[in-house]
Amino acid sequence: MATCWRLGACSLLVALWLLHCCSCGWSETTRTNGVAKGETKEQELMSHERVKRGWVWNQFFVVEEYTGTEPLYVGKIQDVLDSVKPTLCEMCMPPISGPPTKNIHTDSDEGEGNIKYTISGEGAGTIFIIDELTGDIHATERLDREEQSYYTLRAQARDRLTNHLLESESEFVIKVQDINDSEPKFLEGPYIGSVGELSQIGTSVMKVTASDADDPTYGSSARVVYSVLDGERFFTVDRQTGLIRTAVADLDREKQDRYELVVKATDMAGQMGGLSGSTTVTIVITDVNDNPPRFPQKMYQFSMSEGAAVGTPVGRVIATDADMGENTDMSYLIKDEEGGELFKVTTDSDTQEAIITIKKALDFESKRTHNVVVEAVNKHVDPRFSELGSFRDQTIVRVSVNDIDEPPVFHPAEGTILEVQEDARLGALVGTVTAKDPDTENAPVRYSIDQSTDQEQIFHIDPVSGAITLGNILDRETAGWHNITVMAVEADNVSQISHSSVSIRILDVNDNPPELATPYEASICEDAKPGQLIHSISVVDRDEPQLGHRYYFTLAPEATNNRHFTLWDVKDNTAGIRTQRSGFNRHEQNVYLLPILVVDSGPPALSSTGTLTIHVCGCDPEGTIQSCNATAYAISASLSPGALIALLVCMLILIVLVLLILTLKRHRKGQSMSEDEEDMRDNVIKYNDEGGGEQDTQAYDMSTLRNLFDFPETKGSSSESGPELRTLPQWIQGRMSGDGEAADFSLFKGYIRKKVEQTDGDLSVPPYDSFQTYAFEGNSSPALSLSSIHTLSTTSDQDFSYLSDWGPRFRQLAGYYAPGHPEEDGS
């Protein structure tokens, strides 16, 4: 009864003061904010007054990995009556704070079963179930915190009869409480580290890390410590950080280049009952240059022919190095001086082998065996290991020289230079070349000259002694040097041949006289003063004496009485010409010839005479020569610019007039040529009569040929006959006048008329008049055949003596057919 009264009173209060809830909520909000903004102490105390709320809740906890057969109890949602009577404002405001409780309460529940409790959210109805009457929550499945650490759900309180919400939903969390059920795991494996060999103790190698899925904030389930299970002799691991370090200082890659280390991680800080996990760590020992190169043998033997060319490989040797990579890079060198002169060693960058090659030609006769000391040295030496010893090694390479048949060797080998005088006689000795067989047999040698180097055969050589003699006259001025090639072969083996160059210098002999250098002419002014230098002369000489040239100048004997000019020897191989008087007159004499004698210093002294031509010229006051001709006169060059322009204009007008006249003449000539061509095309006459020969002047009417425009008509022709026939040959006219009967040309007229009609109808014929030639002889001819073949094939007694009267052209034919005349044969 008391419960009903309380419910009724509460409902009445809610109904009366419903409109005041908003204002009370505003007052509550203001009070809460006022505390945040530093309000008065009284207001702050009012804000901490206990306020009635609809839901009071906290987190639920459930242990993971529950293995019981019954559902695990989580918590309870129930109705709790607060001992403090709530005010209307407390009923309207949401809870601000409150002490944590085990259960979730609703103010509407009075324990009479009118409330139905439900939950929703993660796992509601599957993992978590609730008793609708009591509000008890149970977990029906085994939970794993490592999969999901908490679940968020919402609680509802509904009227069992109307199913209406009595309170708004409230969200709560069920946290899964951790237990130590996960062992540490190395997730970053497999682990591979490296450390240099011979590293100091405690050198850091690498770090390993294990992860534990348990809750690190709850207990020691996730606290992991590390230890070494296998390999602790060589390496250690930091218990807290998992850092691996070296435990010894004698790690040698050449003995063992990798180690397998087993590291264990244990949770619960290593206490009893803790779980553990392990991983394998591979540690690779890296190489350092701590091993010197070593030759597997202390001596290597090779053989090589003495004729091998320079650069030929003798052999290969290699030094081994226990290191690897660039620490095995090495270089080779030859230590002994003798071996360094004959041999050279290089390093093959790919195989690290020493390649020994020939540096200088080998000679079996000089030395048959060579011992070469080859040393191998590391390129990259680590100074930290210098106390281990020298990083180099040596070996001996013995090279045996094999004998072969070699060609003769010239002495000197680089060639010979000989000298011979230019005037040497034929057969004179120029010099001697020497070659020797280097073999032990010392076979005799025969000499010859390569003809391609001495095509003129200027030199000869003795095949046995090698003496070179002169075979032709020399001329140093033509060729100062002669380069020939001498060949030497073994007398018993001509395949062994060698060559040597011989340079022959031709020594100069004074055989060319000096000559005056050009120019050989000089000029003086008419008013030249006495003693004036008018010309300097020099000399050329094809000879080249060893002591140099020295020339002497004098006037030739025929000019010793010369009173006009003097010669001055300057003593430097030149001379000067000076005037001896003044007052030259070019109209009296404009040219003087001065013979000069030049002598060289020999020996023997040679001389030549050259003539210097001196012209007397007219000069201006400044001494500039104007004219050197006797009849010439000076023309003033001081023309004004206007006069020059006028002169140029006149010349241009003359050129234009000449071009115009030439153009008019060419135009008239072209017109006359066109008229002549047209006239010739209309007046073409052809005569097929041959006549009686060169002496027959009566066969043609020459007047017809001389007058092309006068064509008398042929008698008896009619206008109906088509084209008119022009002048006929005289023998036809004679027949017509003799017989008194007109010749019948109707056959030819008809033929020509027919051809004219065909030509007029032919579109391909040119539109102007053209000359047509027709080969038509008629039906028959009264003349007999003159064929020599036909005549010889018959037995006719016809007399052909008349052929002799036809002129010189038929004389040969008359000789074949006419009877011979004895008097002519006799003559």
Side-chain angles (χ1 to χ4, degrees):
M1 187 66 183
T3 303
C4 293
W5 182 87
R6 293 176 61 184
L7 290 173
C10 185
S11 300
L12 180 61
L13 289 172
V14 171
L16 292 175
W17 300 101
L18 183 62
L19 297 176
H20 293 80
C21 288
C22 294
S23 59
C24 290
W26 178 82
S27 300
E28 180 65 21
T29 303
T30 304
R31 183 170 60 251
T32 304
N33 295 335
V35 174
K37 297 179 181 180
E39 295 178 351
T40 63
K41 186 174 182 179
E42 182 180 358
Q43 292 173 335
E44 184 178 357
L45 293 174
M46 290 178 62
S47 66
H48 285 82
E49 292 181 0
R50 186 175 180 276
V51 181
K52 183 65 177 180
R53 59 196 177 279
W55 292 95
V56 179
W57 64 278
N58 68 342
Q59 296 179 351
F60 290 110
F61 293 92
V62 58
V63 180
E64 66 171 336
E65 304 295 343
Y66 173 70
T67 58
T69 58
E70 297 295 330
L72 178 63
Y73 179 75
V74 177
K76 184 180 182 64
I77 297 178
Q78 62 180 6
D79 178 52
V80 179
L81 293 177
D82 201 322
S83 58
V84 181
K85 185 176 180 179
T87 64
L88 290 177
C89 291
E90 290 176 335
M91 296 175 62
C92 295
M93 291 302 298
I96 297 176
S97 61
T101 62
K102 178 63 177 174
N103 302 321
I104 297 178
H105 311 279
T106 176
D107 298 336
S108 302
D109 188 3
E110 296 182 358
E112 297 181 355
N114 297 326
I115 305 300
K116 181 177 71 173
Y117 298 98
T118 60
I119 58 175
S120 62
E122 294 178 319
T126 57
I127 300 176
F128 303 103
I129 59 175
I130 187 170
D131 191 323
E132 295 181 352
L133 295 176
T134 62
D136 293 334
I137 301 175
H138 292 80
T140 61
E141 295 183 6
R142 182 178 179 180
L143 302 179
D144 188 356
R145 192 200 65 83
E146 285 71 33
E147 293 183 1
Q148 188 167 349
S149 60
Y150 65 91
Y151 296 86
T152 303
L153 295 94
R154 293 178 298 276
Q156 301 95 21
R158 298 179 180 273
D159 188 290
R160 186 175 296 278
L161 298 179
T162 62
N163 201 32
H164 292 308
L165 286 174
L166 299 179
E167 301 289 346
S168 59
E169 288 185 344
S170 179
E171 186 176 86
F172 64 97
V173 176
I174 299 177
K175 297 193 66 175
V176 182
Q177 192 171 3
D178 182 51
I179 64 173
N180 190 20
D181 60 341
S182 298
E183 71 279 2
K185 295 181 179 180
F186 294 91
L187 303 179
E188 298 178 1
Y191 294 92
I192 300 177
S194 62
V195 64
E197 61 177 332
L198 303 180
S199 297
Q200 297 180 358
I201 297 176
T203 301
S204 176
V205 180
M206 64 178 304
K207 183 178 181 180
V208 294
T209 303
S211 299
D212 196 321
D214 292 326
D215 190 357
T217 64
Y218 180 75
S220 300
S221 300
R223 292 184 59 189
V224 179
V225 294
Y226 301 93
S227 61
V228 178
L229 293 181
D230 187 11
E232 65 276 5
R233 175 187 170 187
F234 304 100
F235 300 94
T236 61
V237 62
D238 188 277
R239 180 178 176 83
Q240 303 297 331
T241 63
L243 181 63
I244 300 174
R245 293 186 172 91
T246 58
V248 295
D250 59 349
L251 296 175
D252 191 355
R253 186 201 64 81
E254 287 73 31
K255 295 179 179 179
Q256 185 175 349
D257 61 351
R258 66 179 55 221
Y259 294 86
E260 301 291 338
L261 184 66
V262 179
V263 178
K264 183 179 72 171
T266 306
D267 61 7
M268 296 296 292
Q271 300 177 3
M272 293 293 294
L275 303 178
S276 63
S278 63
T279 186
T280 300
V281 180
T282 302
I283 300 178
V284 179
I285 307 302
T286 59
D287 184 61
V288 296
N289 193 8
D290 59 338
N291 294 280
R294 289 289 181 264
F295 283 102
Q297 302 173 216
K298 289 302 180 183
M299 178 176 289
Y300 296 86
Q301 292 188 357
F302 300 98
S303 62
M304 182 56 55
S305 172
E306 66 172 335
V310 174
T312 302
V314 176
R316 290 173 176 246
V317 297
I318 187 171
T320 60
D321 193 328
D323 296 322
M324 61 183 299
E326 68 174 10
N327 294 325
T328 62
D329 292 345
M330 63 188 74
S331 59
Y332 299 91
L333 59 139
I334 296 177
K335 294 297 293 182
D336 61 311
E337 183 177 353
E338 179 183 357
E341 293 180 356
L342 297 176
F343 301 95
K344 182 177 68 173
V345 62
T346 57
T347 304
D348 190 328
S349 59
D350 296 329
T351 63
Q352 293 298 312
E353 291 178 307
I355 306 174
I356 303 169
T357 57
I358 298 176
K359 183 179 180 182
K360 186 178 179 181
L362 304 178
D363 188 8
F364 174 82
E365 289 72 24
S366 299
K367 192 172 184 179
R368 301 184 180 186
T369 303
H370 300 274
N371 294 324
V372 183
V373 180
V374 179
E375 184 178 69
V377 182
N378 267 138
K379 288 184 178 180
H380 311 286
V381 178
D382 195 334
R384 295 178 301 170
F385 309 107
S386 58
E387 69 276 1
L388 297 179
S390 176
F391 284 81
R392 59 184 63 218
D393 193 23
Q394 292 183 352
T395 187
I396 297 176
V397 178
R398 176 169 292 178
V399 181
S400 299
V401 182
N402 299 329
D403 186 27
I404 63 171
D405 189 7
E406 299 175 273
V409 178
F410 282 92
H411 300 284
E414 60 275 5
T416 305
I417 298 178
L418 303 177
E419 294 181 348
V420 62
Q421 290 289 336
E422 180 181 6
D423 58 349
R425 299 187 305 272
L426 294 179
L429 178 64
V430 178
T432 304
V433 294
T434 303
K436 183 180 180 181
D437 183 12
D439 298 323
T440 55
E441 293 82 1
N442 193 14
V445 178
R446 298 294 179 261
Y447 303 93
S448 62
I449 296 178
D450 187 354
Q451 294 302 321
S452 62
T453 61
D454 187 22
Q455 297 181 357
E456 298 179 359
Q457 298 183 359
I458 300 176
F459 304 96
H460 298 303
I461 187 170
D462 187 277
V464 177
S465 64
I468 300 176
T469 57
L470 193 60
N472 206 339
I473 298 300
L474 299 176
D475 186 7
R476 190 205 63 83
E477 287 70 32
T478 302
W481 285 85
H482 292 273
N483 298 313
I484 62 175
T485 300
V486 177
M487 299 180 295
V489 298
E490 294 182 5
D492 54 354
N493 186 2
V494 295
S495 62
Q496 297 299 326
I497 184 172
S498 58
H499 301 77
S500 178
S501 62
V502 178
S503 298
I504 302 175
R505 179 185 178 186
I506 311 302
L507 300 179
D508 185 45
V509 174
N510 191 23
D511 57 349
N512 293 280
E515 298 176 355
L516 293 180
T518 57
Y520 300 132
E521 295 184 357
S523 300
I524 62 171
C525 295
E526 290 179 301
D527 56 352
K529 302 296 188 294
Q532 179 179 343
L533 179 66
I534 62 172
H535 190 66
S536 295
I537 58 176
S538 59
V539 176
V540 293
D541 195 337
R542 298 175 61 189
D543 295 323
E544 293 182 359
Q546 296 181 357
L547 300 179
H549 292 284
R550 178 68 180 95
Y551 304 108
Y552 305 94
F553 301 88
T554 60
L555 292 177
E558 58 269 22
T560 55
N561 297 325
N562 173 51
R563 294 178 294 102
H564 308 289
F565 305 98
T566 60
L567 179 66
W568 173 45
D569 192 344
V570 188
K571 305 300 184 181
D572 61 350
N573 293 336
T574 62
I577 305 300
R578 296 176 181 271
T579 57
Q580 194 173 359
R581 68 179 182 86
S582 62
F584 293 91
N585 190 343
R586 57 175 170 160
H587 298 287
E588 294 179 357
Q589 185 176 354
N590 65 336
V591 175
Y592 294 88
L593 300 179
L594 186 64
I596 301 173
L597 178 65
V598 183
V599 183
D600 61 16
S601 57
L606 300 179
S607 64
S608 67
T609 301
T611 301
L612 178 65
T613 302
I614 302 175
H615 297 273
V616 180
C617 303
C619 303
D620 59 10
E622 287 78 16
T624 303
I625 296 176
Q626 300 296 314
S627 175
C628 295
N629 296 327
T631 58
Y633 55 91
I635 300 177
S636 176
S638 58
L639 293 178
S640 63
L644 291 176
I645 294 174
L647 182 61
L648 293 176
V649 170
C650 293
M651 293 177 62
L652 183 60
I653 293 174
L654 290 175
I655 293 173
V656 172
L657 290 176
V658 171
L659 292 177
L660 183 60
I661 292 172
L662 292 176
T663 304
L664 291 175
K665 287 184 176 182
R666 183 174 297 179
H667 180 66
R668 292 177 179 177
K669 184 177 180 181
Q671 289 182 348
S672 61
M673 290 177 63
S674 61
E675 293 175 357
D676 293 342
E677 290 177 357
E678 182 179 0
D679 182 70
M680 290 299 294
R681 194 166 52 240
D682 294 336
N683 301 278
V684 178
I685 300 174
K686 182 178 180 182
Y687 295 95
N688 290 326
D689 281 346
E690 194 170 79
E694 296 178 353
Q695 299 178 354
D696 186 3
T697 59
Q698 303 299 325
Y700 297 92
D701 186 2
M702 300 304 293
S703 63
T704 304
L705 296 178
R706 294 188 181 97
N707 189 0
L708 298 176
F709 301 96
D710 185 11
F711 297 99
E713 297 182 0
T714 304
K715 296 180 181 181
S717 61
S718 61
S719 59
E720 298 176 358
S721 301
E724 297 179 352
L725 297 178
R726 301 302 180 185
T727 304
L728 300 177
Q730 292 181 1
W731 65 272
I732 296 179
Q733 295 178 4
R735 287 184 55 188
M736 293 176 59
S737 61
D739 298 337
E741 296 179 0
D744 186 10
F745 291 101
S746 59
L747 180 62
F748 295 98
K749 293 179 181 179
Y751 177 79
I752 293 174
R753 187 185 301 110
K754 182 179 179 181
K755 291 296 183 179
V756 171
E757 293 175 356
Q758 292 178 357
T759 302
D760 292 339
D762 189 358
L763 299 177
S764 62
V765 175
Y768 51 79
D769 294 340
S770 61
F771 177 73
Q772 303 291 334
T773 302
Y774 305 110
F776 180 70
E777 297 182 357
N779 293 330
S780 61
S781 176
L784 297 177
S785 175
L786 295 178
S787 173
S788 60
I789 299 175
H790 177 71
T791 304
L792 294 176
S793 62
T794 61
T795 56
S796 175
D797 295 333
Q798 184 178 357
D799 183 12
F800 296 98
S801 59
Y802 61 89
L803 294 176
S804 299
D805 300 332
W806 286 8
R809 294 187 178 183
F810 296 93
R811 184 173 300 171
Q812 187 71 21
L813 185 62
Y816 291 137
Y817 292 95
H821 300 281
E823 61 278 5
E824 294 178 359
D825 296 340
S827 61

